[in-house]
Amino acid sequence: MRGVAVAMVGLALGMLTWAISVESSPSSAAAQTEAARPGSDHLVCPLTGFLRADTEVSLQAARPGTVPLWSVRDGQWSSLAGAELDEGGMWTGAAPTGNGAFLAEAGAGPSGGGISNVAPEAISAWTCGESSDRLVALGGATLADDRLDLILYNPYVLDSVVRVVVTSELGKDTPPALREIYVPAGRTVEMTLDEPLRLRRSLAVLAESAPGRIALVLRQTGKGETAMTEGVAPDDDWWLPVPDLGQEETFLVIASPSGSPFTYRVDLMTESGPLPAFVEEDFLPGQLVSIPLSAFPGGVTGIGVAGTVPLVAGLRLEGEGLLAIGPGARETSRKWFLPAAGDGAGREARAWLLNPSGLETGVSISAGSFSFTVTVPPESVLPFDLGKLRVSAEGVAGYLVEAQDEIAVVMTTQLPGGAASIAVGAPVG
């Protein structure tokens, strides 16, 4: 019998200590280790298959040389060919197909990754990250033409029970069948939300797992497009550059797992200047905040959201043939990684650089040995066309954004017909 040793808790990241053979059971004594802690040295990239979707994964790793890669699906952990990093510590390659998780042993230190759809007529993107025992995904809807699916991933060797709380404009709105979901080790569980939760304008999903940690995504189909948004851990502060993709409406969505009332504040950056504390309201348990930006003064380019307890804030962009959903950045940093945008005729990729400080800052955006330098005015957002770098640098594995002061960055990709995706960058320094 030929075994395949899978030592995943020999990782400095404290990911797992397990050795798995192709015929061994995840319930073996060797598998009884706990899941990753915050600051672990691996990335979890949740994958999902949907019509017309070919996907690529891009990495920027803290470790040099070759990054070990794993595919986790159907209760099996399969070693993949390692990612050979370029001189900038980056790599891009094809993602495994179907539902499952892609794990990268990126090394102890700031690392980042992202998934992009590279099919000619479809577009979607989401961010790899650390797993957690508490995640929130928001921005979903179940209106007449919408389909919304919740996908839970357990990439580790302990079975997990996930407690789900759904919040909508009606308040706490969790169907009984979704309140506790069993997710076996190394497997993915997919649940539809549009049938039990029909005709909801806005939804947020909180998932808490025990034992161990999970990853999750919401897959939204509507307006002829599919949008993916990943679950993220709550935090006190969020930064949201507001892309201009020709959308008809943009919604700011805020949710929190807190069981107690608290206060949240919304600061606006506009073309006419900053509007601090434009909204300051009390937040009630079980409440979901969904605000159309058309209710704000015109020309909103960026948003800051702060709470007295941890929360999650994100954007939903809607338009004719356009649907894009994504969380904001839960921190600022001087250094960001953006995944490769994928090749496609007419595909436009942009970085949206949000400078929250009261001073202008210089920002360098590079791919390989080519770079551009721009200046972002204080308390404002500046878009940058990443196509300028793709023209110069062939085989782009990703983009590095380095600023003199801390900023927040998201990336959008758009097709000529208007379809678009939005994904937050990965802070790597």
Side-chain angles (χ1 to χ4, degrees), residues 36-58:
R37 298 295 187 198
S40 63
D41 66 354
H42 70 289
L43 296 172
V44 179
C45 302
L47 303 173
T48 176
F50 54 89
L51 189 64
R52 303 174 301 164
D54 299 318
T55 54
E56 286 187 348
V57 59
S58 298

Side-chain angles (χ1 to χ4, degrees), residues 115-117 123-127 228-230 325 411 413 421-423:
I115 301 292
S116 5
N117 182 330
I123 192 162
S124 192
W126 58 102
T127 303
M228 309 295 301
T229 182
E230 69 275 16
I325 309 170
M411 175 178 173
T413 313
S421 68
I422 178 172

Side-chain angles (χ1 to χ4, degrees), residues 203-225:
L203 288 170
V205 176
L206 162 67
E208 294 182 303
S209 59
R213 294 169 176 256
I214 59 164
L216 75 84
V217 297
L218 286 180
R219 181 175 62 206
Q220 175 82 77
T221 304
K223 301 184 181 298
E225 295 301 327

Side-chain angles (χ1 to χ4, degrees), residues 83-345:
E84 299 291 341
L85 303 177
D86 62 18
E87 293 181 355
M90 299 182 190
W91 172 87
T92 188
T97 59
N99 284 355
F102 179 93
L103 303 183
E105 297 179 32
S111 301
I115 301 292
S116 5
N117 182 330
V118 295
E121 300 300 328
I123 192 162
S124 192
W126 58 102
T127 303
C128 305
E130 294 178 353
S131 53
S132 177
D133 59 2
R134 175 179 279 195
L135 295 169
V136 177
L138 38 68
T142 58
L143 300 178
D145 297 325
D146 293 321
R147 177 179 174 86
L148 185 64
D149 299 306
L150 168 64
I151 310 175
L152 300 168
Y153 304 80
N154 180 2
Y156 305 114
V157 296
L158 293 178
D159 296 346
S160 188
V161 174
V162 180
R163 185 174 70 89
V164 174
V165 177
V166 179
T167 307
S168 74
E169 63 268 28
L170 302 180
K172 286 189 177 180
D173 204 8
T174 313
L178 296 180
R179 289 174 184 166
E180 281 196 349
I181 302 174
Y182 174 64
V183 187
R187 293 187 180 272
T188 301
V189 174
E190 183 172 328
M191 310 285 290
T192 182
L193 299 183
D194 53 289
E195 292 179 5
L197 292 166
R198 203 72 207 131
L199 300 179
R200 307 303 198 266
R201 166 71 262 185
S202 187
L203 288 170
V205 176
L206 162 67
E208 294 182 303
S209 59
R213 294 169 176 256
I214 59 164
L216 75 84
V217 297
L218 286 180
R219 181 175 62 206
Q220 175 82 77
T221 304
K223 301 184 181 298
E225 295 301 327
T226 299
M228 309 295 301
T229 182
E230 69 275 16
V232 292
D235 211 322
D236 294 347
D237 297 287
W238 292 83
W239 301 103
L240 301 98
V242 179
D244 181 2
L245 302 177
Q247 65 266 28
E248 296 169 3
E249 185 60 275
T250 302
F251 293 88
L252 169 65
V253 188
I254 305 170
S256 173
S258 174
S260 303
F262 66 93
T263 301
Y264 71 93
R265 187 187 74 244
V266 177
D267 302 318
L268 300 182
M269 300 176 186
T270 75
E271 295 172 352
S272 303
L275 297 173
F278 187 80
V279 175
E280 193 161 5
E281 300 284 351
D282 292 331
F283 193 109
L284 300 177
Q287 181 183 4
L288 175 71
V289 176
S290 180
I291 308 173
L293 295 199
S294 57
F296 291 155
V300 175
T301 58
I303 301 172
V305 178
T308 54
V309 300
L311 48 78
V312 174
L315 296 176
R316 179 184 173 104
L317 283 62
E318 297 181 0
E320 184 65 32
L322 188 158
L323 177 63
I325 309 170
R330 64 185 179 196
E331 60 186 290
T332 56
S333 175
R334 286 191 170 92
K335 191 174 182 180
W336 293 81
F337 170 73
L338 303 176
D343 294 318

